[in-house]
Amino acid sequence: MSARRAVADRVTGLVRKQWFWALVAILVLLAINLVNDPTYLSVTVNPQNGNLVGNLVDILRASAPIIMIAVGMSLVIATRGIDLSVGSTMVVSGAVSMEFLKDANSPESVGVAAAAIAMALVISTLIGVVNGLLITVLGLQPFISTLIMMLAGRGVAKVITSGQNTNARNDPFQWLTNGYVLGLPVVFVLALALVGLLALVVRRSAFGLMIEAIGINPKASRMAGIRPAGILMAVYMLSGLLAGIAGIFAVGSVMTVDVSRTGYQMELDAILAVVIGGTSLAGGKFYMGGAVIGSILIATLDKTIVFLGIPASATPAFKAVVIVALCLLQSQRVRSAFGRRRTSVPPTATPTAAVAAKEGVSA
Amino acid sequence: MSAMLPVVQMKGISIAFPGVKALDEVDFRLFPGEVHTLMGENGAGKSTLIKALTGVYPIDSGSITVLGEDRKFHSTADAQRAGISTVYQEVNLCTNLNIGENLMLGHEVRGAFGINWRATHVAANEALRGMGLGHLDSRQSLASVSIAMQQLVAISRAMVTDAKVLILDEPTSSLDAAEVENLFQVLRGLRDKGVAILFVSHFLDQVYAISDRITVLRNGAHVGEYLTPELDRPRLVSLMIGKDLAAFASISRAATSLESAGATEVLLEARGLGRRGRVEPTDLQVNVGEVLGFAGLLGSGRTELARLLYGADKPDSGEVTMRGEKVSLHSPVEGLSNHIAFSTENRRDEGAVGDLSVRENLVLAVQARRGWARPLSRREKDAIVDRYMGELGVRPSDPDRPMKNLSGGNQQKVLLGRWLATGPELLILDEPTRGIDVGAKAEIQEAVVKLAEAGTSVVFISSELEEVVRLSGRIVVMKDHRKVGEIVVGPDVTTQAVVDMIASDSPPSGHTMAEEPA
């Protein structure tokens, strides 16, 4: 009996987790697709190279860039900040790497690919540094600072590519997104590995604790001797670096940077993924795992929209409906309404109180 | 009076939170035209009872009768409609609006074209006059008046809503003596008009000055209801804590024995330390192992001076030496690295990190000093947690509970532990005993004395002069942002000496009245 109790406790604990509903939403979306096409979920093994092929694999691949920026965003949001420039950082990163690969013109060279990646990541991190400086040194609001960088970033990308969509060929670079390792897309495995590494650093050091302390009570954190400037700087740098990686993932599959489409409005996807994952926009406690699940949900949603053939003009509305429904399921008020039904209060009480109040005033 | 019907009658109120019975069959009644004080230690259930009466918490069992009607409150709006108004410890007004707007918010006078602001301000001024606050102009910005005045505006607001019952939760905790008297005059006026007032305060003097009746709670249970004249102080305190006052007696003895200890070594010396508009340049000396009191009225600069000593605010004049070496104290980080710790008077905004656990709150300052890259090991954290939760008697003794779920007194103990864990040479305590109960107060005072005995210097700031005099070996008296003198506490020094110094017209150059004997 006590075993059953423990299982029940574990189930209620799971349901209380914010990301639980994101998991449910992913399953619901997959189920809808399955109804439309009974073979939707089938994953086959390519007989030639042993790689997995199927819609699920595509979803995982598409989720990788979102995971990168969402995890960075979760740290930023935890400090009561926001980073609106991640989408633009992605396109800058993509533009830098594509231009470099195009100029180098050595399709087989691993060294050239590494140099392109390094350069893209340095510049992405620099964008994070500028954000951090605007926020910590000049004391601008994160919203404004990163909004500036969001507009400036896409402009910089256009300057880098002279306004053209640049494409290049480099096989090692493309392998990062289109290749397979252990049968899974490299890009997804890499994204998970990076998140795991970051989580280890954040949670095993006191970095996460300080981020949360600053987000919950900045004044008290300062009084306790935490230097908010250093932590904020590190967080925006990390967000820039991760957005740079996301940019490489985003351009790698087609080996083209589209200066007006790459990373476009991805900051919104990242914010949604973070919120769906249970991190409050008010800052404080953050959940990197939740952000990963939120990202996979966004990717599933994107693929579902395409798969169901929803017209492009209706896509934002469809996305909005799903997200609103999810947020309602997660909201404290809706959940406590479900909870209250069990402890039930007599519904007659309210009118009595109102009548009594009237009398009270006239007395 | 007993022939009257109570305006509020609460019977057999029980409220349980997960794992705790916050209220257990508590009775409470409130008569019109009386001030009824609710007394009890932190965690006794005072706040919970008030929240039950104001509709914040639903009650599990029992009944609430207001003006003869059975009520079930589902929200604070229900309670307000029933004529119950509450003024909380922290003033809940909008400082960016003016007084009239705050007063009339939701009750603006409306004309044909929406709100008639002129008529609204006329009504506001009338309400202010009715409260004896005729000198305030309703068009003045609320931020421009003192906290005390804001509190009175909050009470006036409660009266605009025509409340039959006024609940005041710790209204005096940020007021000085004159302001408290002003508040009490207003309260007496309201009482004479037939308003029932529920008052909560930790200041015994104030409780005896204002209340007609006292109800005592302990551990969520009803201890008794007494008429104030029939309940003397020692008995009240022992009812609250459930034991007698031996703890206090031993503390005062410790303080006197400390004062007689001979050789003095200077720990910190400040010369001309000041910040424009906050503290005029001040000379100050803190000796090793002494308790140095800062006394003065609220706003006298005592907190501001303490903040300069830690680096919470940046000084713009003067210099500080520690053990003869010049130090820079321009940020809390520098204060902390010079082994200074500062426990703020503003526990909610500058102390507690509510959503973090007690454990994380305890280790925060130590961890901050080490930097994020060198995390404390599980064992080191446990050592800090075990030591300070035990020594300071933090209740409940579960380190994984979120800080925000602890009562004020226990949060204060956790914060004290946070600073002690950094091993400070100088510990600055700004109002460490404000808003906490007698038992916790005694424990914190005891901790201060023990620290000083162990060689830590303590700067002790409190609005309760009696407490400053009892604990300190030496007192710095502040007035109008200036140090007006020092008093060496001997057996014959009483609070009167401090009051006299504050009251006297001091010479403009200040700090010359009494010097530390060599």
Side-chain angles (χ1 to χ4, degrees):
Chain A
M1 179 157 167
S2 69
R4 192 182 295 170
R5 179 79 182 266
V7 170
D9 280 355
R10 191 169 290 179
V11 169
T12 41
L14 192 67
V15 173
R16 286 232 181 88
K17 292 256 195 295
Q18 296 263 340
W19 47 260
F20 172 78
W21 293 105
L23 274 183
V24 170
I26 292 173
L27 294 179
V28 168
L29 286 173
L30 292 179
I32 290 172
N33 291 335
L34 194 62
V35 168
N36 271 300
D37 175 2
T39 65
Y40 187 84
L41 291 185
S42 69
V43 173
T44 53
V45 178
N46 183 326
Q48 266 131 47
N49 48 24
N51 296 333
L52 299 176
V53 184
N55 289 313
L56 289 182
V57 179
D58 286 347
I59 288 173
L60 293 185
R61 183 184 286 124
S63 68
I66 309 177
I67 290 175
M68 289 287 95
I69 50 176
V71 166
M73 187 73 79
S74 73
L75 300 182
V76 173
I77 285 178
T79 65
R80 291 191 178 185
I82 193 105
D83 188 350
L84 298 177
S85 68
V86 289
S88 295
T89 307
M90 282 174 69
V91 73
V92 170
S93 159
V96 168
S97 48
M98 282 299 124
E99 277 295 316
F100 185 86
L101 292 177
K102 188 180 154 200
D103 290 346
N105 196 21
S106 49
E108 311 289 332
S109 165
V110 175
V112 167
I117 290 169
M119 211 158 136
L121 295 189
V122 166
I123 291 184
S124 308
T125 310
L126 277 180
I127 291 177
V129 170
V130 174
N131 278 333
L133 287 176
L134 289 175
I135 290 159
T136 56
V137 178
L138 294 188
L140 291 182
Q141 288 182 4
F143 190 96
I144 295 300
S145 314
T146 60
L147 184 65
I148 295 168
M149 285 314 290
M150 169 179 154
L151 299 173
R154 204 160 284 278
V156 168
K158 285 182 180 165
V159 169
I160 292 173
T161 66
S162 318
Q164 304 300 309
N165 295 346
T166 303
N167 51 13
R169 208 189 129 212
N170 180 290
D171 295 341
F173 190 91
Q174 192 165 18
W175 176 80
L176 280 181
T177 36
N178 286 3
Y180 286 86
V181 57
L182 306 171
L184 285 168
V186 175
V187 69
F188 182 72
V189 174
L190 203 55
L192 281 194
L194 286 171
V195 172
L197 184 70
L198 188 63
L200 207 66
V201 171
V202 167
R203 293 297 187 189
R204 283 300 165 93
S205 74
F207 191 52
L209 172 69
M210 291 187 183
I211 288 174
E212 291 186 336
I214 288 175
I216 296 164
N217 191 340
K219 275 191 193 165
S221 308
R222 176 176 171 270
M223 294 295 275
I226 294 173
R227 297 170 203 257
I231 300 285
L232 289 179
M233 195 73 200
V235 162
Y236 283 95
M237 274 173 64
L238 262 177
S239 180
L241 174 65
L242 289 165
I245 298 174
I248 288 166
F249 288 173
V251 297
S253 56
V254 285
M255 289 307 281
T256 304
V257 60
D258 179 340
V259 284
S260 53
R261 306 278 323 145
T262 300
Y264 184 64
Q265 292 192 345
M266 289 284 277
E267 56 281 341
L268 302 183
D269 283 348
I271 295 168
L272 279 175
V274 168
V275 173
I276 288 167
T279 303
S280 160
L281 278 179
K285 294 267 176 192
F286 64 92
Y287 307 95
M288 297 167 81
V292 170
I293 293 174
S295 305
I296 295 175
L297 171 62
I298 301 268
T300 312
L301 191 53
D302 284 339
K303 288 280 174 197
T304 302
I305 286 168
V306 175
F307 180 72
L308 294 182
I310 291 169
S313 52
T315 304
F318 182 81
K319 218 167 170 179
V321 168
V322 175
I323 305 279
V324 166
L326 188 66
C327 291
L328 279 178
L329 277 174
Q330 289 182 343
S331 87
Q332 208 61 52
R333 194 174 286 187
V334 172
R335 276 198 266 168
S336 60
F338 277 113
R340 205 178 290 163
R341 195 169 292 168
R342 266 178 280 128
T343 52
S344 108
V345 279
T348 52
T350 319
T352 333
V355 171
K358 232 178 248 167
E359 286 170 3
V361 170
S362 59
Chain B
M1 195 177 248
S2 56
M4 283 169 119
L5 274 176
V7 57
V8 172
Q9 176 108 45
M10 303 173 85
K11 271 194 183 150
I13 305 290
S14 294
I15 293 182
F17 296 123
V20 203
K21 191 128 200 180
L23 286 180
D24 191 7
E25 300 276 318
V26 172
D27 297 338
F28 181 73
R29 52 188 191 152
L30 195 55
F31 289 96
E34 73 163 0
V35 178
H36 192 146
T37 303
L38 204 49
M39 294 293 291
E41 291 193 276
N42 291 317
K46 299 188 301 285
S47 302
T48 315
L49 189 66
I50 287 177
K51 283 176 177 164
L53 182 55
T54 52
V56 177
Y57 294 151
I59 54 175
D60 294 342
S61 66
S63 68
I64 302 177
T65 314
V66 181
L67 291 166
E69 292 270 350
D70 252 2
R71 303 291 176 118
K72 285 249 176 355
F73 296 138
H74 299 298
S75 70
T76 50
D78 285 351
Q80 275 175 21
R81 253 173 299 176
I84 297 172
S85 271
T86 317
V87 176
Y88 290 102
Q89 191 168 358
E90 278 88 17
V91 184
N92 289 320
L93 295 173
C94 312
T95 47
N96 53 340
L97 300 182
N98 65 35
I99 292 175
E101 287 162 346
N102 267 299
L103 208 54
M104 305 298 289
L105 195 67
H107 298 268
E108 300 90 348
V109 182
R110 281 165 196 279
F113 305 102
I115 294 171
N116 181 343
W117 283 110
R118 215 154 53 83
T120 301
H121 279 290
V122 169
N125 276 324
E126 205 169 303
L128 287 173
R129 262 199 307 282
M131 299 286 295
L133 300 171
H135 58 284
L136 288 178
D137 175 9
S138 71
R139 288 185 189 273
Q140 216 175 334
S141 137
L142 186 72
S144 69
V145 300
S146 66
I147 296 278
M149 282 299 150
Q150 293 182 16
Q151 197 113 45
L152 291 175
V153 170
I155 293 171
S156 311
R157 175 169 163 72
M159 297 328 293
V160 166
T161 60
D162 194 26
K164 296 282 173 283
V165 177
L166 180 62
I167 299 174
L168 296 160
D169 190 0
E170 295 273 357
T172 58
S173 59
S174 43
L175 308 189
D176 68 29
E179 292 165 338
V180 168
E181 194 37 54
N182 200 349
L183 171 75
F184 282 1
Q185 251 163 30
V186 170
L187 291 187
R188 287 187 193 109
L190 289 174
R191 177 184 65 189
D192 296 343
K193 285 183 198 160
V195 177
I197 299 172
L198 169 53
F199 182 75
V200 174
S201 172
H202 285 297
F203 299 98
L204 288 184
D205 289 344
Q206 297 174 3
V207 169
Y208 276 92
I210 189 76
S211 47
D212 304 308
R213 197 186 292 266
I214 295 173
T215 289
V216 180
L217 300 181
R218 187 170 68 231
N219 293 331
H222 185 254
V223 175
E225 185 194 90
Y226 311 88
L227 287 172
T228 310
E230 292 168 9
L231 182 67
D232 63 15
R233 290 179 195 215
R235 179 152 162 66
L236 170 60
V237 173
S238 52
L239 284 174
M240 282 166 62
I241 63 177
K243 57 186 178 213
D244 60 20
L245 284 171
F248 282 105
S250 67
I251 289 169
S252 53
R253 271 203 302 279
T256 33
S257 72
L258 196 76
E259 184 258 331
S260 58
T264 54
E265 185 189 343
V266 179
L267 173 71
L268 178 145
E269 190 166 14
R271 287 182 195 282
L273 187 69
R275 182 177 160 89
R276 199 158 301 128
R278 298 285 177 166
V279 193
E280 289 184 20
T282 304
D283 295 346
L284 187 74
Q285 196 173 312
V286 185
N287 298 325
V288 172
E290 81 167 337
V291 178
L292 178 63
F294 281 12
L297 301 177
L298 212 80
S300 60
R302 51 175 208 223
T303 292
E304 289 79 358
L305 180 59
R307 290 176 68 92
L308 292 183
L309 287 180
Y310 178 57
D313 295 325
K314 207 169 159 177
D316 50 21
S317 72
E319 60 172 38
V320 179
T321 55
M322 281 189 84
R323 298 191 191 277
E325 288 192 27
K326 195 165 178 295
V327 292
S328 151
L329 296 173
H330 289 177
S331 69
V333 178
E334 289 181 315
L336 207 53
S337 63
N338 283 304
H339 298 279
I340 301 173
F342 175 69
S343 170
T344 170
E345 63 171 342
N346 198 343
R347 187 166 62 222
R348 191 186 58 167
D349 289 341
E350 297 192 326
V353 185
D355 283 326
L356 291 186
S357 65
V358 168
R359 178 196 310 277
E360 288 166 323
N361 268 285
L362 270 170
V363 303
L364 197 61
V366 174
Q367 184 62 67
R369 193 168 59 190
R370 288 169 66 119
W372 67 268
R374 289 173 51 227
L376 291 162
S377 70
R378 183 84 204 173
R379 210 160 43 84
E380 289 169 305
K381 281 188 207 168
D382 284 347
I384 291 175
V385 168
D386 289 347
R387 172 158 181 211
Y388 293 105
M389 286 191 76
E391 277 184 13
L392 299 169
V394 177
R395 281 177 298 268
S397 58
D398 172 10
D400 293 314
R401 203 173 265 260
M403 181 77 162
K404 63 184 173 191
N405 291 2
L406 265 61
S407 68
N410 282 303
Q411 287 190 10
Q412 189 66 54
K413 289 182 202 165
V414 171
L415 293 178
L416 190 57
R418 176 196 288 175
W419 296 118
L420 292 180
T422 66
E425 291 183 325
L426 173 60
L427 176 64
I428 305 169
L429 299 171
D430 193 359
E431 297 276 12
T433 61
R434 180 162 86 191
I436 69 174
D437 63 73
V438 181
K441 211 172 248 188
E443 283 170 322
I444 285 176
Q445 292 177 356
E446 215 168 329
V448 167
V449 172
K450 270 192 206 151
L451 275 171
E453 279 169 346
T456 308
S457 309
V458 180
V459 167
F460 189 86
I461 306 175
S462 172
S463 286
E464 286 183 60
L465 281 183
E466 185 257 349
E467 187 180 52
V468 177
V469 170
R470 188 144 45 92
L471 287 176
S472 313
R474 203 154 54 93
I475 298 172
V476 169
V477 182
M478 301 289 294
K479 181 184 179 182
D480 299 337
H481 300 183
R482 208 171 60 226
K483 174 173 153 185
V484 292
E486 278 183 13
I487 296 171
V488 177
V489 179
D492 51 339
V493 173
T494 61
T495 55
Q496 196 55 42
V498 180
V499 173
D500 287 347
M501 189 177 280
I502 294 172
S504 67
D505 283 333
S506 49
S509 58
H511 60 79
T512 48
M513 293 189 66
E515 276 304 318
E516 169 84 348

